[in-house]
């Protein structure tokens, strides 16, 4: 058939059943993304005869004789379309994976649609931004400063280096490359929550035309590992193998088929005949702990302990107990005691780019893994251990990563891809479908948290007790770290002489939990901050006053429970400022109920986080001068939308007296050097940025030394400029210093603390249970903010993601153990219409530990949101919700029962 694509008359031959999205990608239009293949997310939006469509829903043959315009057809780097320019000027993106589709849709909006933008954009989802920056782009707001207009580069709103590539659709995400000879891998997944594999007959699958091989447990190394990636591999239990003989959740891999096409691989999977012995399953942590419950991981106790599983026979991965003072005495001294149990549900990262990778062996025999990951170096290490190969024979890299939020701090696909490419001797690609992403990757740990608080009449805390039961699902990736972290800062933020914390994390036959923005703190903070408000009501004390009275203060001892190293220091302190900023802004909000159907109220919650994970985090950076007088900066950390690339350029430019545009950045490629533990724990700025600062400062010193020796002057007499060095009024081109290089390292062993306070004013609609947010205010103690525009975006995005979890997101498990809502249509994430703008306020602090005074701020804004919302709803309605999400039907039912009870 013939059609016009981006202004070119083209001929195409669609495959039977092929959609327009895959046809366009096959023809090199990589700006057309896959987010769902179900018409829900809009990442694949294109214009068909000028009208926006989801190309995943459009049969390719229907494009015959039509005009198709992708983001690349709107404009190009040399001639941006006005909508592309608007998104660039506003920086209307973070990871950028949704951006091409957003721009295509916005470009076709008429005035009427622009006037009701949230409605017009309901078919385009963004998981990163919270939509404010996108609204700004549509409104023509310029958020990005041009670097020549600013006197210094840190503390300024400079744009991301990938900006032009993102808005023109030329940024290369994991699968946006044409690989000759590419083959495709699909996975057969378990239909049972718990079963033993008896036999697999591969005969029919291997007979499917195009199928190249089938991998089963017989092809799998019997090497036990954790899919979780940490600097210290002992942080997680070794409870996984590539292909196992025991199925522990619905959706676990059973076998893999590699074929010439995706369709042939799927057909091969359908022809695999598997015999299972179905075993009894446990689907809740409470039932998993019941005496006699089936063991999810069975085996000799000594072997299980070697794999760092505390008590496998009783499904216990780990437990902790700790405290200070005398809890009983603290409770006895209290005038008021409050105790209650709180529940957080299973939610998912839902990054727009699903887990995807391409593996191949290059001409030098190097196993190359091009993957969507937050941790390229740790994946390299894990593959080396698994395959028994030297690390240097494995290269792991990522270019643009389409969101992560902790979900890509795992090795979820690279292991099977490595086996596959080594078997077939050709490049192999695996792209998880959205349904696989929901059902078979990882989610936030559901937790049941019991809290007991004791206080004197004046509000002074005398006792604080926390008991946590965490559900890690079928595997223990991040189980231990999340439990320990969740029980750390949530309790440490309060000064109280008597504290006790207990926690258990258990296996169930459900999809594995994992790392997720906040790393356990959102669940425990929901419980403690809800309980503090309930205590405030009992005491008749204002919630802000109760926090002020009991908040941790500089000089207080940092108390850590469960054995984490007590290496946290006050690099700065801004909690008091955050509380006052939110209180002032909320108190100025005077919106009232518009009718008796509505109740209005306000609520707040606070949170603390240790910047940098404990137990080691390493980063190295290298910077050198190229022959053309530019700097070349190499860092190991990956940028998956956090904006760390921009921050690194700003930090380096500041140290060198230069401009970000004079620095070329290479990153997240193990072949380039610059070891990095990974982009997690909010370390991209705090640890890796510090390494960059040290490298840049070292290079600046080298330049001055060289300049002094060239001109026989004292060191320090030279001044560094953007593209030259000034020595005694003489200008010397930086190119004269080509080859000079320096390295910097940071080990993240000194850890600081950051704070967040969230406030809401809400209206609750009694006839429907709907919650309308009248005001959202977030104060962040991020130290010195290196890029306020980006940091604000991180806060807005964190609040937005947390609001989705607080209001309606829930990954549901049915009676068979299967995820029953594995699609965006049934697992609703916030659209532009669902989210209020959030006022973002920054405390005025300067951290003595982080680079240029900065602290972390990419994950912690998530943590206080659910509690602040529940506290506002309770203030409005007198009904306390101790379980998330606060979905409209749940709220309506509770309000109705409350009204009926009088
Ligand atoms: Fe929209 Fe990442 S910027 S999904």
């Amino acid at each position: 058939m013939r059609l016009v694509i981006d202004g070119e008359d083209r001929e195409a031959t669609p495959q039977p059943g092929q959609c327009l999205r895959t046809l366009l990608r096959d023809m090199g239009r990589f700006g057309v993304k896959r987010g769902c293949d179900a018409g829900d997310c809009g990442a694949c939006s294109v214009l068909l005869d000028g009208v926006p469509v989801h190309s995943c829903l459009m049969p390719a043959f229907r494009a015959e004789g039509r005009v198709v315009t992708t983001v690349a057809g709107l404009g190009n780097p040399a001639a941006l379309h006005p909508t592309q320019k608007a998104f660039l000027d506003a920086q209307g993106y973070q990871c950028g994976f949704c951006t091409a589709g957003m721009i295509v849709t916005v470009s076709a909006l008429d005035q009427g649609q622009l006037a009701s933008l949230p409605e017009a954009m309901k078919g385009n989802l963004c998981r990163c931004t919270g939509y404010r920056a996108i609204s700004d782009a549509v409104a023509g707001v310029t958020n990005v400063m041009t670097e020549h207009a600013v006197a210094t580069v840190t503390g300024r709103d400079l744009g991301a280096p990938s900006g032009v590539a993102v808005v023109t659709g030329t940024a290369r995400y994991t699968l946006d490359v044409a690989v000759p000879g590419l083959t495709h891998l699909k996975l057969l997944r378990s239909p049972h929550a718990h079963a033993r594999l008896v036999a697999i007959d591969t005969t029919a699958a291997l007979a499917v035309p195009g199928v190249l091989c089938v991998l089963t447990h017989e092809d799998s190394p019997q090497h036990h590992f954790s899919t979780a990636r940490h600097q210290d591999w002992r942080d997680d239990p070794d409870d996984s193998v590539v292909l196992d003989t025991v199925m522990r959740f619905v959706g676990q891999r059973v076998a893999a088929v590699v074929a010439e096409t995706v369709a042939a691989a799927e057909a091969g999977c359908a022809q695999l005949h598997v015999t299972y012995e179905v075993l009894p399953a446990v689907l809740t942590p409470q039932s998993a702990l019941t005496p006699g419950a089936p063991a999810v991981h069975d085996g000799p106790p000594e072997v299980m302990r070697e794999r760092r599983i505390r008590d496998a026979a009783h499904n216990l991965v780990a437990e902790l107990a700790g405290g200070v003072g005398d809890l009983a005495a603290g409770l006895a001294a209290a005038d008021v005691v409050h105790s209650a149990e709180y529940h957080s549900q299973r939610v998912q990262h839902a990054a727009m780019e699903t887990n995807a990778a391409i593996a191949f062996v290059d001409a030098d025999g190097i196993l190359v893994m091009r993957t969507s990951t937050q941790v390229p170096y740790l994946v390299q290490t894990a593959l080396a251990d698994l395959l028994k190969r030297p690390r240097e024979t494995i290269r792991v890299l990522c270019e643009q990563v389409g969101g992560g939020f902790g979900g890509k701090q795992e090795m979820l696909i690279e292991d099977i891809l490595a086996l596959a490419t080594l078997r077939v001797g050709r490049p192999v690609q695996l792209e998880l479908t959205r349904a696989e992403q929901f059902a078979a990757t990882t989610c936030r740990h559901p937790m049941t948290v019991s809290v007991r608080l004791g206080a004197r009449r004046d509000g002074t805390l005398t006792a604080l007790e926390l008991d946590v039961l965490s559900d890690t699902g079928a595997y223990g990736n991040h189980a231990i770290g999340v439990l320990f972290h969740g029980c750390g800062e949530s309790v440490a933020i309060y000064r109280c002489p008597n504290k006790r914390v207990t926690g258990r994390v258990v296996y169930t036959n459900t999809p594995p939990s994992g790392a997720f923005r906040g790393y356990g703190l959102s669940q425990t903070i929901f419980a403690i901050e809800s309980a503090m408000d309930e205590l405030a009501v009992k005491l008749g004390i204002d919630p802000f006053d109760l926090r002020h009275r009991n908040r941790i203060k500089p000089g207080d001892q940092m108390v850590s429970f469960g054995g984490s190293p007590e290496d946290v220091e006050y690099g700065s302190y801004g909690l008091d400022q955050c509380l006052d900023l939110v209180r002032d802004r909320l108190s100025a909000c005077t919106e009232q109920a518009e009718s008796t159907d509505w109740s209005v109220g306000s609520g707040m919650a606070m949170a603390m986080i240790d910047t940098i994970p404990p137990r080691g985090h390493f980063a190295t950076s290298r910077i050198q001068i190229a022959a053309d007088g530019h700097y070349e900066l190499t860092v190991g950390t990956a940028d998956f939308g956090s904006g760390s690339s921009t921050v690194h350029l700003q930090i380096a430019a500041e140290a060198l007296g230069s401009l970000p545009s004079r620095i070329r950045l290479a990153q997240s490629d193990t072949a380039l050097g610059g070891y990095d533990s990974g982009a997690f724990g909010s370390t991209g700025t705090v640890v890796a940025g510090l390494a960059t600062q040290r490298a840049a400062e070292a290079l600046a010193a080298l330049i001055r030394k060289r300049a002094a020796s060239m001109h026989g002057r004292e060191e320090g007499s030279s001044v560094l400029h953007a593209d030259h060095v000034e020595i005694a009024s003489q200008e010397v081109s930086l190119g004269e210093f080509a080859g000079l290089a320096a390295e910097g390292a940071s080990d993240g062993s000194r850890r600081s603390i950051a704070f967040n306070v969230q406030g809401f004013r809400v209206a609750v609609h009694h006839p429907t249970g709907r919650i309308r947010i009248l005001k959202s205010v977030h104060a962040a103690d991020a130290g010195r903010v290196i890029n306020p525009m980006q940091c604000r975006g991180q806060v807005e995005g964190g609040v937005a993601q947390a609001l989705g979890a607080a209001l309606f997101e829930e990954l549901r498990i049915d009676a068979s153990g299967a995820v029953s809502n594995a699609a965006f249509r049934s697992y609703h994430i916030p659209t532009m219409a669902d989210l209020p703008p959030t006022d973002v306020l920054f405390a005025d602090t300067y951290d003595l530990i982080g680079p240029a005074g900065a602290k972390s701020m990419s994950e912690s804004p998530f943590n206080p949101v659910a509690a602040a919302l529940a506290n506002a709803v309770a203030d409005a309605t007198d009904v306390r919700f101790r379980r998330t999400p606060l979905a409209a039907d749940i709220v309506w039912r509770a309000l109705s029962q409350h009204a009926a009870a009088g």
Side-chain angles (χ1 to χ4, degrees):
M1 70 181 195
R2 298 204 72 83
L3 72 167
V4 175
I5 302 175
D6 295 335
E8 290 177 26
D9 193 8
R10 298 290 300 268
E11 184 158 333
T13 310
Q15 298 299 308
Q18 187 170 25
C19 68
L20 181 58
R21 182 189 73 79
T22 56
L23 180 78
L24 290 169
R25 286 187 64 85
D26 287 350
M27 298 175 79
R29 292 304 191 270
F30 293 126
V32 183
K33 306 298 185 201
R34 172 192 187 156
C36 66
D37 261 359
D40 296 325
C41 78
C44 66
S45 296
V46 299
L47 301 180
L48 193 64
D49 294 338
V51 177
V53 297
H54 291 168
S55 61
C56 67
L57 293 184
M58 177 66 60
F61 72 86
R62 292 224 177 123
E64 181 164 18
R66 321 241 337 233
V67 175
V68 177
T69 307
T70 74
V71 69
L74 291 176
N76 59 61
L80 294 178
H81 182 278
T83 308
Q84 293 171 322
K85 177 82 165 55
F87 271 73
L88 187 67
D89 289 346
Q91 192 150 309
Y93 60 87
Q94 286 177 17
C95 81
F97 198 78
C98 70
T99 308
M102 289 275 176
I103 287 173
V104 165
T105 301
V106 170
S107 73
L109 296 182
D110 60 28
Q111 286 305 316
Q113 291 168 317
L114 287 169
S116 54
L117 192 65
E119 179 68 15
M121 296 303 291
K122 66 184 180 188
N124 287 78
L125 299 176
C126 175
R127 191 54 157 170
C128 298
T129 61
Y131 298 101
R132 190 272 311 160
I134 293 169
S135 299
D136 278 1
V138 177
V141 175
T142 295
N143 294 317
V144 174
M145 291 176 169
T146 53
E147 66 176 19
H148 294 286
V150 300
T152 57
V153 289
T154 57
R156 305 296 176 154
D157 296 334
L158 296 182
S162 61
V164 170
V166 166
V167 301
T168 54
T170 52
R172 290 287 168 253
Y173 293 81
T174 312
L175 302 185
D176 296 345
V177 286
V179 179
L182 187 66
T183 67
H184 299 268
L185 185 149
K186 295 297 284 186
L187 292 158
L188 179 72
R189 297 186 178 277
S190 172
H192 302 295
H194 200 188
R196 197 175 308 283
L197 196 153
V198 177
I200 303 181
D201 184 347
T202 63
T203 313
L206 288 168
V208 171
V211 167
L212 300 171
C213 80
V214 176
L215 297 171
T216 72
H217 62 95
E218 292 179 352
D219 305 290
S220 171
Q222 288 310 300
H223 167 83
H224 283 76
F225 62 95
S226 173
T227 62
R229 299 288 84 220
H230 281 111
Q231 173 63 34
D232 189 330
W233 57 274
R234 292 166 299 185
D235 284 357
D236 303 279
D238 293 332
D239 56 9
S240 302
V241 294
V242 179
L243 292 167
D244 210 338
T245 54
V246 178
M247 301 300 119
R248 299 184 174 89
F249 69 98
V250 176
Q252 181 173 322
R253 306 163 177 176
V254 177
V257 175
V258 182
E260 298 285 356
T261 64
V262 172
E266 287 172 342
C269 285
Q271 292 301 319
L272 285 169
H273 298 296
V274 185
T275 307
Y276 298 98
E277 175 195 354
V278 178
L279 303 171
V282 286
L283 300 182
T284 67
Q286 290 80 8
S287 60
L289 288 172
T290 304
V296 177
H297 290 263
D298 209 359
E302 63 278 9
V303 174
M304 295 292 113
R305 279 196 293 275
E306 262 176 37
R307 292 179 189 159
R308 298 180 299 287
I309 302 171
R310 180 62 172 259
D311 182 359
H314 298 95
N315 292 315
L316 187 66
V317 186
E319 61 185 338
L320 66 83
V324 293
D326 181 338
L327 185 75
L331 290 169
D335 296 315
V336 174
V337 171
H338 168 74
S339 61
E341 189 175 275
Y342 303 83
H343 303 265
S344 296
Q345 81 281 29
R346 188 177 269 109
V347 293
Q348 229 212 16
H349 317 77
M352 278 297 125
E353 182 192 40
T354 61
N355 284 79
I358 298 171
F360 59 95
V361 178
D362 72 9
D364 297 323
I366 303 294
L367 171 63
V368 181
M369 190 68 61
R370 179 187 169 90
T371 183
S372 180
T373 185
Q374 297 172 227
V375 284
Y377 281 88
L378 298 188
V379 169
Q380 181 197 35
T381 304
L383 289 176
D385 290 345
L386 176 71
L387 302 172
K388 309 288 183 248
R389 290 171 68 118
R391 286 181 73 228
E392 55 273 18
T393 66
I394 299 168
R395 176 187 177 196
V396 180
L397 74 153
C398 52
E399 281 196 70
Q400 202 88 10
V401 178
F405 314 114
K408 293 171 182 173
Q409 194 193 336
E410 306 270 354
M411 184 173 71
L412 295 177
I413 58 172
E414 294 89 348
D415 53 343
I416 190 78
L417 271 174
L419 293 188
T421 197
L422 292 174
R423 168 70 79 85
V424 300
R426 288 173 57 184
V428 186
Q429 171 176 306
L430 172 58
E431 180 182 24
L432 295 192
T433 64
R434 182 55 61 184
E436 285 179 299
Q437 194 76 20
F438 274 121
T441 62
T442 61
C443 58
R444 188 177 292 280
H445 289 75
M447 288 188 191
T448 299
V449 182
S450 299
V451 182
R452 188 155 52 151
L453 301 173
R456 295 191 201 283
R457 187 62 61 195
D458 67 359
T460 305
L461 282 177
T462 60
L464 194 168
E465 184 182 25
L466 188 75
D467 179 61
V468 177
L469 179 57
S470 174
D471 181 355
T472 192
Y475 292 93
N477 42 309
H478 297 283
I480 303 168
V482 163
L483 177 68
F484 278 47
H485 191 238
C487 293
E489 299 96 298
S490 59
V491 176
I493 194 171
Y494 288 109
R495 44 174 18 189
C496 174
N498 307 299
K499 298 181 184 178
R500 177 164 177 74
V501 176
T502 49
R504 292 165 294 172
V505 54
V506 301
Y507 287 121
T508 59
N509 292 114
T510 60
S513 305
F516 194 158
R517 202 173 200 164
Y519 212 63
L521 279 173
S522 74
Q523 299 97 310
T524 51
I525 285 172
F526 170 65
I528 292 176
E529 289 299 293
S530 295
M532 284 296 286
D533 255 43
E534 293 191 72
L535 182 68
V537 170
K538 288 181 177 173
L539 289 165
I541 294 178
D542 177 87
F544 281 98
D545 289 340
L546 188 63
R547 267 60 170 214
H548 262 306
R549 178 172 286 276
N550 294 290
R551 66 181 157 83
I552 191 171
K553 295 188 176 71
D556 286 354
Q557 188 192 0
M558 299 285 180
V559 178
S560 108
F561 296 104
S564 300
E566 295 179 20
D567 58 352
V568 183
E569 303 172 32
Y570 291 94
S572 55
Y573 179 87
L575 176 56
D576 50 349
Q577 292 182 52
C578 289
L579 284 166
D580 292 342
L581 286 167
V582 171
R583 171 185 254 175
D584 291 349
R585 188 61 65 94
L586 264 193
S587 63
C589 180
T590 56
E591 279 99 332
Q592 294 299 323
E594 52 194 64
S595 77
T596 54
D597 284 345
W598 294 86
S599 297
V600 172
S602 298
M604 55 77 62
M606 65 184 195
M608 171 175 135
I609 195 166
D610 296 344
T611 57
I612 312 170
R615 293 166 61 76
H617 199 99
F618 299 89
T620 52
S621 295
R622 184 172 196 277
I623 188 160
Q624 66 181 15
I625 302 173
D628 64 359
H630 280 70
Y631 295 100
E632 292 174 335
L633 172 63
T634 304
V635 301
T637 191
D639 186 344
F640 53 96
S642 61
S644 62
S645 303
T646 321
V647 167
H648 279 259
L649 293 177
Q650 288 180 267
I651 289 172
E654 183 98 340
L656 289 161
S658 187
L659 297 168
S661 59
R662 305 288 304 170
I663 304 172
R664 290 191 287 264
L665 178 67
Q667 65 189 124
S668 52
D669 183 344
T670 61
L672 299 178
Y675 178 86
D676 191 283
S677 299
F680 61 90
S682 302
T683 52
T685 294
V686 181
V687 181
L690 190 57
T692 290
Q693 184 181 28
R694 287 171 177 163
E697 287 172 349
L699 181 60
L702 280 178
I703 295 169
R704 290 197 180 94
K705 189 172 182 183
R706 175 74 63 86
S709 69
M710 282 167 65
H711 290 263
R713 296 186 170 266
E714 286 184 12
E715 277 184 44
S717 63
S718 55
V719 180
L720 275 58
H721 293 278
D723 56 359
H724 67 274
V725 182
E726 189 179 309
I727 310 159
S729 301
Q730 272 187 276
E731 286 186 13
V732 179
S733 164
L734 266 178
E736 298 288 317
F737 301 84
L740 271 189
E743 294 190 353
S746 171
D747 66 3
S749 60
R750 292 178 72 212
R751 305 194 296 136
S752 183
I753 50 176
F755 296 99
N756 298 77
V757 177
Q758 173 70 42
F760 286 117
R761 185 164 179 83
V762 303
V764 184
H765 192 230
H766 289 259
T768 61
R770 185 179 149 222
I771 297 169
R772 189 145 59 88
I773 295 170
L774 304 172
K775 176 62 88 179
S776 170
V777 187
H778 192 103
D781 173 22
R784 179 162 174 264
V785 181
I786 291 176
N787 189 315
M789 172 186 67
Q790 286 193 169
C791 196
R792 175 186 173 195
Q794 287 297 309
V795 173
E796 291 169 331
V799 171
Q801 197 172 40
L803 266 176
L807 285 168
F808 40 69
E809 290 183 34
E810 180 167 19
L811 202 61
R812 292 193 291 271
I813 304 290
D814 69 17
S816 74
V819 173
S820 62
N821 57 339
F824 281 136
R825 201 150 295 185
S826 47
Y827 183 98
H828 181 69
I829 67 170
T831 68
M832 187 182 281
D834 293 316
L835 292 173
T838 290
D839 295 357
V840 179
L841 310 167
F842 292 114
D844 182 11
T845 57
Y846 186 98
D847 201 71
L848 298 175
I849 296 173
K855 294 197 281 196
S856 71
M857 201 43 64
S858 48
E859 57 180 331
S860 56
F862 192 106
N863 297 334
V865 169
L869 186 79
N871 291 341
V873 171
D875 185 50
T877 64
D878 288 334
V879 176
R880 169 57 57 177
F881 291 87
R882 299 195 180 107
R883 184 183 292 270
T884 51
L886 278 67
D889 59 329
I890 295 168
V891 172
W892 171 81
R893 195 170 299 117
L895 294 181
S896 302
Q897 289 169 355
H898 182 70

